[in-house]
Amino acid sequence: MKYVAWGILLVLAILWLLAIITGMIVAFPFGLIGLLGLFAMGLLFAKVLKERMENKEDDYYDKHVDQ
């Protein structure tokens, strides 16, 4: 059941993001500012996600430290 909810949220987030990008393209040239902002946020998100996936110390504490 949990995965169904996450799947629905993922689909809605993708549709929402596509709607925002479409709106910014329609608002050309002013929409370029928003597109650049979204691109920068995407790069930062990818960097954080990559660092988290490669961090073995966080994995160790998740598995071995009592909460």
Side-chain angles (χ1 to χ4, degrees):
M1 190 69 170
K2 169 175 72 169
Y3 295 112
V4 173
W6 279 110
I8 292 170
L9 285 175
L10 179 65
V11 169
L12 288 175
I14 290 170
L15 290 174
W16 176 74
L17 190 59
L18 288 174
I20 287 178
I21 291 171
T22 303
M24 288 183 191
I25 291 171
V26 169
F28 185 82
F30 300 108
L32 288 177
I33 297 169
L35 286 174
L36 286 173
L38 278 176
F39 182 70
M41 287 177 21
L43 287 176
L44 288 173
F45 179 75
K47 179 181 182 292
V48 167
L49 191 61
K50 178 180 176 259
E51 286 177 1
R52 173 59 190 98
M53 298 297 280
E54 293 175 350
N55 193 339
K56 301 299 180 197
E57 186 177 346
D58 284 347
D59 293 336
Y60 174 82
Y61 284 109
D62 276 344
K63 294 176 184 172
H64 295 94
V65 175
D66 292 332
Q67 305 233 352

